[in-house]
Amino acid sequence: MPHSLGWYHTPTPSGFVLHLTATPDHLRATRTLIAKTLADAGVGQDLVHSAQLVMSELCGNAVRAGGDFVPLVAEVRVTSSGCGEDAGRGVRVRLHDPYRRMLPVRGGLRLDDPEAESGRGLPLVDLLAPGWRVTGTPVGKQVRCWIPAQ
C-alpha cells in the first residue's frame, strides 16, 4: 500500500516487499517495519536486530554504489528453512538495486580493528548471514541473505 512518506509497502503472508528510495526517513521506516513485522510473526529480538542490521548494511552499500535516493526493493520474510546446509527457522533479507555492476566488495577488515573508521558492514553481514550472495537481475542486482535463528 502507498505510504505518506513515498514508499510502497506490500505485506506478504510471512513478511513484506517494500519499494523505496534511499533516504534517511525511508531507511528508519524500513527498520521499524522490520521490527513490527518480525515481532508480529513471533521472531525473537536477537533475530529482529540481526535482520535490521543486515538490511541497514545492504542499504548503506546501495547508497555508496548509487548515491542518495537510489531506488530500492527490500524484501523480508520469516522462513522455516534456509539455503543449502542451513535449516530451521530464520529470516530472508533481500535488497534489489539498479546497479548490476556495482558489487559489494569485502575490504579484508577485521571486525575488532580499533583503527578502522568504516568497512565493518560486510564482515557483519558475513557473520549474521553466512553464505549471502549477489544475483544479477534484468534491471540490476539483488543481494540475498538468510539469517538463521540462533
Side-chain angles (χ1 to χ4, degrees), residues 5 7 20 23-34 52 56:
L5 289 176
W7 45 275
L20 68 149
T23 68
D25 286 342
H26 289 180
L27 299 178
R28 274 191 296 278
T30 301
R31 289 179 60 88
T32 300
L33 183 58
I34 289 170
Q52 288 176 312
S56 293

Side-chain angles (χ1 to χ4, degrees), residues 72-105:
L72 304 171
V73 179
E75 297 178 52
V76 173
R77 92 179 147 100
V78 177
T79 66
S80 58
S81 64
C83 300
E85 296 177 11
D86 297 326
R89 188 172 165 108
V91 174
R92 287 196 191 283
V93 172
R94 295 179 175 180
L95 187 72
H96 187 275
D97 72 55
Y99 301 101
R100 187 176 189 157
R101 290 195 166 96
M102 302 290 285
L103 299 175
V105 177

